[in-house]
Amino acid sequence: MSKTIVIGACGQIGTELVLALRKRKGNDAVYAADLKDECPTVLSQGPYVQLDILNSENVRQFIIENEIKEVYLLAALLSATAEKNPDFAWRLNMEGLFTILDLAKEQHIDKIFWPSSIAVFGPTTPRDNTPQFTVMEPSTVYGISKQAGERWCEYYFNKFGVDVRSIRYPGLISYTSLPGGGTTDYAVDIFYQAKLKNQYTCFLSENTALPMMFMEDAIRATIELMEAPKEAIKIRSAYNLAGISFTPKELAAAIQNIQPEFEISYAPDFRQNIADSWPKSIDDSYATANWGWKEQFGLTEMVKIMLEKVDVNLL
Ligand code: NAD
Ligand code: SER
């Protein structure tokens, strides 16, 4: 079994992706790598390495010396955090991608997964059932970096045959680790506050619909995309992917079905502008047609699992 590395392994997606990949490939075949110097307990069943994706020489050396053939590059600043530090966000979100794309161009790596986002769309994009191919004028530094990244992935595939695959993840909802500074994070925070205080003050307004997805679906999509035959992957920028679209009000109502005393109030902040520039729902028919994508989790099931599983000790 050839070796795999997940860079940005301690984050919201990385934690669950490493566990899922280790289940398929074996613990020793999947390196978890992150800036953090200590390996979280949940990832301690397999190898962990402290790596800074911005230290290109170290990353190159580690991947070449350990004969790692598959890379999942997750390290990035997300939308809300990136707006507070745009220069650094641009650097982090772009430089790491070039390091990995170049390793593949030089044939040290066979396959790359690099995530894009619904943030590639902008205020001029049709917001309902947003098509795969449409106007894309992102208005956040995060969205601009993801849009540029998509173009570079496609370019490296077309020019150098680099097998890079990508998904435009919607907002992801999970309980194993906390989210890292996105505009969709309210849809995770709400469950912790529902458990702690039975009350939540949402930083988006009540009718702000956004595309979301339960993490189990997102991890399955990632693995299905990476395991699909090369010829099936017709899009080398990034695939649209749809899960569940809902507003804060609809999410609160679904929580109230289980916890009738739960209360929500609204205090929109700078993240409202970001959310207003993003799609409300996504057309993912290319992912379905090309590699058979179909979501499994709906709102009711997701809410039930989240209320059962979130552990307020993570806060
Ligand atoms: P996260 O913020 O939870 O995790 C990112 C991880 O990267 C952290 O553990 C962090 O320590 C690590 N990291 C940061 N700088 C690093 C560096 N210089 N070198 C090595 N590691 C570093 O993010 P996430 O939610 O897991 O997202 C992962 C990827 O998926 C990102 O590219 C993000 O843009 C994309 N994405 C996420 C979502 C979502 O809802 N979570 C949606 C769309 C796209
Ligand atoms: N969940 C991410 C964010 O809000 C979308 O890419 O930044």
Side-chain angles (χ1 to χ4, degrees), residues 10-13 34 51-53 74 76 116 142 146 169-170 172:
C10 299
Q12 191 195 6
I13 301 174
D34 202 286
L51 270 187
D52 179 355
I53 189 63
L74 305 182
S116 186
Y142 176 68
K146 291 295 184 187
Y169 287 132
L172 300 181

Side-chain angles (χ1 to χ4, degrees), residues 179-233:
T183 303
T184 57
D185 290 9
Y186 91 83
V188 178
D189 298 344
I190 195 170
F191 291 100
Y192 289 90
Q193 298 310 321
K195 261 201 168 162
L196 268 180
K197 299 192 287 193
N198 225 2
Q199 195 283 332
Y200 182 63
T201 303
C202 184
F203 58 75
L204 298 182
S205 64
E206 60 184 335
N207 293 320
T208 308
L210 284 170
M212 302 277 185
M213 180 174 283
F214 191 50
M215 187 63 86
E216 206 169 306
D217 268 347
I219 298 296
R220 184 171 54 80
T222 308
I223 290 174
E224 284 177 8
L225 174 69
M226 288 298 276
E227 291 184 353
K230 206 171 170 180
E231 324 74 70
I233 311 302

Side-chain angles (χ1 to χ4, degrees), residues 14 32 57 108 121-122 152 167 174 253 269 298 314:
E57 268 321 298
H108 296 295
F121 300 114
W152 279 112
I167 286 172
S174 65
D269 64 14
L314 276 185

Side-chain angles (χ1 to χ4, degrees), residues 36-93:
K36 299 187 174 157
D37 48 10
E38 274 190 36
C39 172
T41 318
V42 65
L43 299 182
S44 61
Q45 300 305 312
Y48 179 83
V49 56
Q50 188 202 10
L51 270 187
D52 179 355
I53 189 63
L54 292 175
N55 189 335
S56 171
E57 268 321 298
N58 273 1
V59 172
R60 285 182 61 84
Q61 193 182 353
F62 188 83
I63 286 177
I64 294 169
E65 277 179 5
N66 289 284
E67 297 180 353
I68 292 168
K69 297 296 170 197
E70 198 166 300
V71 178
Y72 294 74
L73 174 57
L74 305 182
L77 284 199
L78 275 79
S79 58
T81 317
E83 285 310 295
K84 294 179 182 160
N85 198 349
D87 294 352
F88 179 69
W90 175 255
R91 187 168 164 237
L92 176 62
N93 294 7

